[in-house]
Amino acid sequence: MATEEKTLVEILEENNLIDLAKYVKYVSASQAGAIATFSGTTRDTFEGKTVVELRYEAYVPMAIRQMKSICSSARSSWDIHSIAVVHRLGTVPVGEMSVFIAVSAVHRADALDACKFLIDELKASVPIWKKEVYSNGEVWKENSEFMDRKLELGKTNGSCCRRNVKVETHGTKSCFGAKVKVADGAAAEISTSDAGTEETI
């Protein structure tokens, strides 16, 4: 099998559940001594608020392209046999899975490290957006990994969109981790969170 044939990347349209067995079977191989998996599910509360569901949207062609790029990066860093990455779109109720990753390798260290890398990079760079729906309202959220990456990029030259940006952080990673001040005096709160999911994403 060629390397490309050992990578499966999918985005599932609304009302399609993730079939764990399909993806685990895809990465299974007699030469693979380890299969590492990650599943992110909608949890029922976030910061004292009752979560009803999550809703995901994506720019699918770019999301698929970026997910494949992340898989290629993982292959260049670890000795991986097979990779499967799937993310749902649409409504994901409490208790249901929104993302699943399976990685097989000869040794567990490669599988585990690659699996963590894949979910972290997916949340930091893939154009998939999440709305949290609570019993008393809803809000669009950015992943903390995405915001961390954005802050890192801002530190390299101190400017964004040709305007000076000052980033204030609060020392701890939180749902509302940073306040950005733009040179013209405007300030904007940036909301970051992985609320509603079991993912550390």
Side-chain angles (χ1 to χ4, degrees):
M1 262 177 116
T3 300
E4 291 177 63
E5 295 175 318
K6 294 190 254 178
T7 300
L8 176 62
V9 170
E10 293 183 336
I11 293 183
L12 303 179
E13 296 299 325
E14 190 157 1
N15 300 320
N16 287 305
L17 299 179
I18 295 174
D19 180 358
L20 293 178
K22 170 186 173 179
Y23 301 103
V24 171
K25 182 178 180 181
Y26 180 84
V27 301
S28 296
S30 58
Q31 63 270 43
I35 296 175
T37 64
F38 172 85
S39 61
T41 59
T42 304
R43 64 176 177 247
D44 62 358
T45 56
F46 175 71
E47 292 189 345
K49 293 180 245 177
T50 301
V51 176
V52 176
E53 64 191 19
L54 299 179
R55 295 181 191 153
Y56 290 94
E57 293 183 10
Y59 177 48
V60 175
M62 185 182 284
I64 292 285
R65 194 166 41 249
Q66 183 62 22
M67 289 163 76
K68 287 179 178 178
S69 175
I70 291 167
C71 291
S72 294
S73 294
R75 286 191 178 285
S76 68
S77 298
W78 294 279
D79 185 14
I80 299 169
H81 182 272
S82 300
I83 302 171
V85 180
V86 59
H87 203 298
R88 283 175 66 180
L89 297 182
T91 300
V92 182
V94 169
E96 289 189 13
M97 198 177 325
S98 57
V99 61
F100 183 73
I101 296 172
V103 179
S104 65
V106 173
H107 302 290
R108 71 179 178 272
D110 287 326
L112 290 166
D113 291 345
C115 191
K116 182 182 184 319
F117 168 82
L118 288 164
I119 188 59
D120 289 347
E121 287 300 306
L122 184 149
K123 299 312 273 184
S125 65
V126 176
I128 296 175
W129 303 281
K130 173 175 63 180
K131 180 187 279 189
E132 293 179 358
V133 180
Y134 307 114
S135 58
N136 62 349
E138 56 189 35
V139 64
W140 285 101
K141 295 287 187 143
E142 290 181 316
N143 294 310
S144 59
E145 290 82 0
F146 173 79
M147 293 309 301
D148 290 347
R149 179 76 47 84
K150 199 169 168 182
L151 292 174
E152 286 173 22
L153 292 174
K155 289 178 185 176
T156 59
N157 62 11
S159 67
C160 174
C161 307
R162 297 186 182 151
R163 300 204 280 184
N164 291 329
V165 174
K166 179 181 177 189
V167 177
E168 299 172 8
T169 58
H170 303 285
T172 59
K173 194 172 187 182
S174 71
C175 167
F176 305 100
K179 184 173 188 174
V180 176
K181 290 192 177 181
V182 182
D184 65 7
E189 289 287 336
I190 299 175
S191 173
T192 60
S193 171
D194 51 321
T197 63
E198 292 288 333
E199 311 156 59
T200 52
I201 43 186

